[in-house]
C-alpha cells in the first residue's frame, strides 16, 4: 500500500485594477485581467493539476484551506487629466471578491457566486472551499477600503480529481460615474494542506465516477 503523502497546494491570483470608463458605462480591468461575465461582473480562472495523485490512484484529504492577501483594497481617483496625485475615488465604490475552489469546472456566469447552493446547478460536494469579502469605501480614509462583510463555505470533501478549478469573482458597484475612478484588488493566495492517501477500491472508483458525472453537467 502506498504510504500517505502530506501535501501543500498553493496558487495565486495576481493584483488587478478595474477603472471606470464613462463612455462604456462600466468598469474595465487592466490587461491581462478577468473576463467580463455580466455588467461590472468579472471572473478569473486558474487550474491546478493534481495528476500526481491520479497517477498513483490517490485521494486528497484536506486538513486546512485558506485565502491569504498581503494588503488592502484601494479605491483611487484621478481628477481631469490625472496630473495631480491620486485621491480617493468619488461616489462610493463597493465590491465583492470571492474565491471558489472546485474539483469540477463551473459554469461561468453571474450565478457562479452562489455555486454549491440551491440557486446554482453545481453540486455542493464539488465545492471544496470558498471565501468572499465585501469591501466599501471608508469616508474617513477614502483610498483604503474597509471589509464590511465576509463569508466562507464549501464541503471540504476529499477529491480524486486530476484537476482543481480555481475561480476569483469580482462584482463592482459604484454610485457616481467619474472617469478614472478605480479599485485595486490585492493579490490573493490559496493554500491547502492535507494528506494524499489510498482508499478502498470501491470507494475510490465511486468517487471517480461521481466526479466524471458532475463534469458532464
Amino acid at each position: 500500500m502506498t504510504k500517505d503523502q502530506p501535501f501543500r497546494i498553493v496558487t495565486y491570483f495576481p493584483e488587478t485594477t478595474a477603472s471606470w470608463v464613462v463612455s462604456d458605462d462600466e468598469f474595465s480591468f487592466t490587461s491581462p485581467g478577468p473576463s467580463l461575465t455580466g455588467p461590472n461582473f468579472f471572473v478569473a480562472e486558474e487550474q491546478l493539476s493534481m495528476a500526481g495523485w491520479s497517477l498513483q490512484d490517490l485521494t486528497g484529504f484536506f486538513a486546512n484551506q485558506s485565502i491569504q492577501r498581503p494588503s488592502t483594497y484601494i479605491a483611487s481617483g484621478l481628477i481631469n487629466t490625472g496630473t495631480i496625485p491620486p485621491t480617493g475615488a468619488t461616489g462610493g465604490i463597493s465590491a465583492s471578491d470571492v474565491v471558489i475552489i472546485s474539483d469540477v469546472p463551473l459554469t461561468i456566469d453571474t450565478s457562479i457566486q452562489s455555486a454549491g447552493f440551491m440557486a446554482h446547478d453545481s453540486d455542493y460536494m464539488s465545492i471544496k472551499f470558498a471565501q468572499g469579502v465585501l469591501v466599501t469605501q471608508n469616508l474617513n480614509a477614502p483610498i483604503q477600503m474597509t471589509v464590511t462583510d465576509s463569508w466562507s463555505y464549501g464541503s471540504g470533501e476529499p477529491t480524486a480529481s486530476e484537476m482543481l478549478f480555481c475561480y476569483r469573482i469580482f462584482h463592482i458597484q459604484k454610485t457616481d460615474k467619474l472617469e478614472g475612478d478605480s479599485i485595486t484588488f490585492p493579490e490573493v493566495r490559496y493554500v491547502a494542506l492535507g494528506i494524499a492517501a489510498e482508499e478502498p477500491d470501491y470507494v475510490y472508483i465511486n468517487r471517480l465516477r461521481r466526479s466524471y458525472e458532475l463534469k458532464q453537467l
Side-chain angles (χ1 to χ4, degrees):
M1 184 174 182
T2 303
K3 185 178 180 180
D4 294 353
Q5 302 177 15
F7 68 78
R8 177 188 288 110
I9 299 171
V10 180
T11 192
Y12 294 83
F13 286 98
E15 176 184 291
T16 186
T17 298
S19 299
W20 183 262
V21 181
V22 171
S23 59
D24 296 334
D25 197 31
E26 65 182 14
F27 278 93
S28 176
F29 272 88
T30 51
S31 182
S35 58
L36 178 66
T37 304
N40 299 317
F41 190 99
F42 304 82
V43 179
E45 180 181 356
E46 298 287 342
Q47 295 183 4
L48 277 171
S49 174
M50 301 291 107
W53 293 355
S54 59
L55 288 174
Q56 300 179 68
D57 296 335
L58 298 178
T59 298
F61 294 83
F62 297 100
N64 180 267
Q65 299 179 79
S66 64
I67 301 296
Q68 305 170 353
R69 61 181 172 91
S71 58
T72 61
Y73 295 78
I74 300 296
S76 58
L78 295 175
I79 298 177
N80 298 325
T81 62
T83 56
I84 65 174
T87 60
T90 60
I93 294 178
S94 65
S96 61
D97 183 7
V98 182
V99 174
I100 297 177
I101 310 299
S102 172
D103 63 356
V104 299
L106 302 178
T107 300
I108 299 180
D109 57 28
T110 55
S111 68
I112 191 175
Q113 60 188 337
S114 60
F117 288 88
M118 293 184 66
H120 197 278
D121 291 334
S122 296
D123 189 281
Y124 158 72
M125 302 298 283
S126 68
I127 307 298
K128 305 308 172 186
F129 180 76
Q131 182 173 298
V133 295
L134 175 67
V135 294
T136 58
Q137 276 187 279
N138 184 333
L139 295 178
N140 296 320
I143 293 180
Q144 294 184 341
M145 302 185 74
T146 301
V147 175
T148 55
D149 193 10
S150 63
W151 57 93
S152 61
Y153 58 94
S155 68
E157 282 290 303
T159 181
S161 177
E162 63 183 14
M163 190 76 68
L164 287 181
F165 300 87
C166 312
Y167 303 90
R168 188 179 187 185
I169 303 148
F170 310 89
H171 188 200
I172 313 169
Q173 295 180 322
K174 190 174 189 302
T175 305
D176 293 337
K177 301 177 179 180
L178 184 64
E179 186 81 25
D181 278 356
S182 65
I183 174 173
T184 297
F185 295 86
E187 174 185 41
V188 296
R189 174 171 58 207
Y190 166 68
V191 180
L193 304 176
I195 295 289
E198 285 187 355
E199 294 184 286
D201 287 346
Y202 71 92
V203 176
Y204 181 75
I205 292 172
N206 187 60
R207 196 182 300 282
L208 287 177
R209 178 186 61 80
R210 179 59 176 161
S211 178
Y212 175 79
E213 290 174 349
L214 288 171
K215 288 178 182 178
Q216 308 311 305
L217 295 178

